Amino acid sequence: MDILRTENLYKYYGKGENEVHALDGVTFSVKKGSFTAVVGTSGSGKSTLLHMLGGLDRPTSGEVFVDGKSIFSLKEEELTIFRRRKIGFIFQNYNLVPILNVYENIVLPIELDGNKVDESYVQEILTILGLEKKLNNLPNNLSGGQQQRVAIARALASKPAIILADEPTGNLDSKTSMDVMGLLKVTSEKFKQTIVMITHNEEIAQMADQIIRIEDGKIVGGERACIQ
Ligand SMILES: Nc1ncnc2c1ncn2[C@@H]1O[C@H](COP(=O)(O)OP(=O)(O)O)[C@@H](O)[C@H]1O
Ligand SMILES: [Mg+2]
C-alpha cells in the first residue's frame, strides 16, 4: 500500500526573472514501511520536496496524498494536527527550541499533542544516541552533531508513521551515522514506520528500498523510481 504519493508536484519561488522552479512536476509513491532515499546536488529541490511531503509548505500546483488523502485540501489547523500526529521531521538546521533543554525539546511534540511520554522508549533512544548526560543542556551548549542527535530523538519520540529526514547524518561521524541508521532501521521495523531521507551518503542511499534522484526539480531516470 502507498502511504505517500505525489502527483505532478510543482513549486515555484519568486516572480519574473527571479522565478525558481524548485519542483518541476514530481510524481512518485512510497510504500508503507519502506525506506526511500532522496539524492541530488545542492539546490536540486530535495528540501522543498520534503517540506511538501510533510505539508510544511503548499505547492504551486499538484498534490500530496497521505494514506490516500489529499493533505493540501486540509485547513491550516487540520494540517498542523496532521503533521504533529503523523510526521516526524528531522530538519537540516535542527529547528530546536533555544529556550528548552534537550529533554524538553525531545518531548515537546508529544506534549503539544496532549499525549503521555513513553519514558522507557525515550530513554532507549537517548542511550543509542549518546544523549543521556545532556538532558539538561540548552541547544546552544551542544555541538552541531549533538544538536542533530537531539533533532533525531525528537522526531522518533512520538513514534510517527512517517519520518522525513533532511540529511540527518550530515553532521555526524561515520560511526555515529551508522548507529543512527541502525536506530532508524530498528524503530521503523518495530513501529512500521516509513522513512524518506535526503542524503549525500551513497552508502546510506544504497540501504534504501527506493532511490529518488532529483535534478533541477525533476526526478531523473524515469518519472517513477523503482522499488529495488
Ligand atoms: N524559500 C525560498 N525562496 C526562494 N527560493 C528558494 C526557497 N527555498 C528554496 N529555494 C530555491 O529552490 C531551489 C531548490 O532548493 P532546495 O529545495 O533547498 O534544494 P536542496 O535541498 O536540494 O539543496 C534552489 O534554487 C533554492 O535556492
Ligand atoms: Mg536542502
Side-chain angles (χ1 to χ4, degrees):
M1 194 206 132
D2 293 338
I3 188 166
L4 261 178
R5 186 159 64 83
T6 73
E7 215 170 271
N8 274 327
L9 212 51
Y10 288 82
K11 179 67 177 181
Y12 293 175
Y13 293 111
K15 286 256 174 309
E17 257 179 40
N18 297 320
E19 191 172 86
V20 175
H21 296 186
L23 292 179
D24 215 2
V26 170
T27 300
F28 72 100
S29 52
V30 172
K31 294 246 177 295
K32 187 172 159 62
S34 68
F35 169 24
T36 296
V38 178
V39 300
T41 52
S42 178
S44 56
K46 305 179 299 296
S47 295
T48 303
L49 175 63
L50 211 69
H51 293 165
M52 302 288 138
L53 291 180
L56 275 176
D57 198 4
R58 289 177 187 265
T60 305
S61 67
E63 297 260 25
V64 171
F65 298 95
V66 176
D67 280 335
K69 251 188 272 165
S70 158
I71 60 169
F72 296 114
S73 64
L74 297 174
K75 295 196 197 86
E76 212 50 51
E77 213 179 280
E78 295 169 327
L79 194 56
T80 304
I81 294 170
F82 152 81
R83 269 201 307 268
R84 217 189 273 148
R85 300 234 164 111
K86 280 250 174 190
I87 312 265
F89 277 105
I90 307 171
F91 294 99
Q92 202 165 14
N93 57 358
Y94 324 126
N95 278 16
L96 301 176
V97 182
I99 57 163
L100 299 181
N101 69 29
V102 165
Y103 179 81
E104 291 163 342
N105 264 285
I106 290 170
V107 301
L108 181 65
I110 303 173
E111 293 187 334
L112 282 175
D113 214 22
N115 289 326
K116 204 172 163 300
V117 176
D118 181 343
E119 293 292 349
S120 72
Y121 180 57
V122 169
Q123 208 50 53
E124 197 182 316
I125 298 171
L126 288 169
T127 307
I128 292 175
L129 290 170
L131 289 170
E132 64 278 50
K133 294 203 177 77
K134 300 284 176 194
L135 293 185
N136 296 319
N137 285 48
L138 291 175
N140 64 6
N141 289 326
L142 300 174
S143 70
Q146 287 167 336
Q147 290 182 54
Q148 192 151 44
R149 283 180 272 151
V150 177
I152 292 165
R154 178 182 58 184
L156 293 178
S158 61
K159 305 167 190 161
I162 301 171
I163 295 165
L164 301 176
D166 201 342
E167 293 195 53
T169 60
N171 268 312
L172 305 179
D173 59 55
S174 59
K175 181 184 179 304
T176 313
S177 295
M178 282 306 143
D179 287 350
V180 166
M181 291 310 296
L183 172 67
L184 285 172
K185 195 166 168 12
V186 169
T187 62
S188 65
E189 277 168 12
K190 195 160 158 188
F191 300 114
K192 308 221 171 354
Q193 288 163 315
T194 306
I195 302 175
V196 180
M197 181 187 293
I198 296 172
T199 183
H200 274 119
N201 184 327
E202 260 308 314
E203 204 184 336
I204 289 175
Q206 291 305 328
M207 294 162 74
D209 301 305
Q210 162 174 247
I211 302 179
I212 305 279
R213 290 187 193 274
I214 301 200
E215 252 172 50
D216 294 330
K218 294 186 175 76
I219 293 183
V220 290
E223 243 191 6
R224 276 161 198 279
C226 312
I227 297 278
Q228 294 177 325

